[in-house]
Amino acid sequence: MNKTYEIVVRQQAKKGRMTGFSQDLRSLCPSLILQVLVKENGRIITQVSEEECLSLVCTLRLVEVNSTSRAVIDSRDEDRNATLREENNLLGNSAACCQQFVDLHGNPGMFFLFPDLGIRSPGKYRFQCSVFRIDLELDAMPVLVTEFTQPCSIVSPKNYPRPQGPTRLAKSFVEQGADLRLR
């Protein structure tokens, strides 16, 4: 059995109000939601054991997109024009455990939810998303897959437009027991 993994950004964070250095966390809008697809011999596996689901963790690393960067930076690009920002620029939970939900099309899936991310400085940012498997027998956490999100814009409070309401996907996951803020 040859298993491979793929990250799909199901809900892209598009904008946010800069948080600054106060304790007032301003979440990105909408919340970032990732799905991990498990493939075996090239075919997507729709039913995954609870044990496998619980062993998966996703972490985020904040990447600032330079003003000279190309419009699209992809994880497969050789020439990435991005610089890694200081870790303290990202606020909130930058790691999430895998959770099983049913999407809007009735398909079961494994998802990572990031409901409370904030960024301290204005600019354009991406998230580098890495999925790990916790393996207590090997005492290791091998990286299964890494992917980048599309850019999101962080602006000062005076330039921040009124956030839109919750997405249908977020509402659906909350109805299934997800811990997401609906605003």
Side-chain angles (χ1 to χ4, degrees):
M1 290 189 294
N2 183 19
K3 280 189 182 179
T4 58
Y5 297 82
E6 180 181 330
I7 296 173
V8 178
V9 179
R10 291 296 300 267
Q11 185 169 283
Q12 169 70 44
K14 295 179 181 170
K15 61 185 174 182
R17 177 179 164 182
M18 71 175 252
T19 303
F21 288 91
S22 71
Q23 297 298 322
D24 185 21
L25 181 62
R26 301 290 179 185
S27 296
L28 299 178
C29 184
S31 296
L32 181 62
I33 298 177
L34 306 173
Q35 181 177 11
V36 64
L37 300 177
V38 181
K39 296 181 178 181
E40 197 168 83
N41 298 321
R43 296 181 57 194
I44 295 175
I45 301 172
T46 56
Q47 296 296 322
V48 179
S49 72
E50 185 175 349
E51 181 181 323
E52 181 168 5
C53 180
L54 293 174
S55 73
L56 299 178
V57 175
C58 183
T59 61
L60 301 179
R61 189 168 186 185
L62 189 62
V63 177
E64 182 179 21
V65 179
N66 286 334
S67 59
T68 59
S69 70
R70 295 188 311 244
V72 176
I73 298 174
D74 189 86
S75 63
R76 293 171 291 277
D77 286 348
E78 292 298 321
D79 178 29
R80 293 185 193 124
N81 264 334
T83 57
L84 295 176
R85 291 288 289 185
E86 298 172 15
E87 292 298 321
N88 68 357
N89 203 28
L90 177 62
L91 298 173
N93 292 320
S94 60
C97 294
C98 191
Q99 300 178 61
Q100 292 183 324
F101 295 109
V102 175
D103 69 11
L104 294 174
H105 305 291
N107 300 318
M110 298 190 307
F111 297 89
F112 299 99
L113 312 178
F114 295 93
D116 65 347
L117 297 174
I119 299 174
R120 288 190 164 141
S121 302
K124 275 196 168 276
Y125 298 90
R126 291 177 179 270
F127 292 101
Q128 178 185 1
C129 313
S130 298
V131 174
F132 299 84
R133 176 185 293 114
I134 299 172
D135 192 334
L136 298 177
E137 292 177 9
L138 295 176
D139 196 25
M141 286 182 46
V143 177
L144 302 174
V145 63
T146 297
E147 188 62 70
F148 285 83
T149 65
Q150 292 297 312
C152 66
S153 296
I154 305 301
V155 297
S156 67
K158 69 178 184 176
N159 294 325
Y160 186 65
R162 183 173 178 215
Q164 297 175 339
T167 64
R168 288 182 47 228
L169 184 62
K171 287 179 187 178
S172 173
F173 285 179
V174 166
E175 289 171 3
Q176 296 174 59
D179 186 18
L180 285 172
R181 276 187 293 221
L182 297 181
R183 55 186 183 291

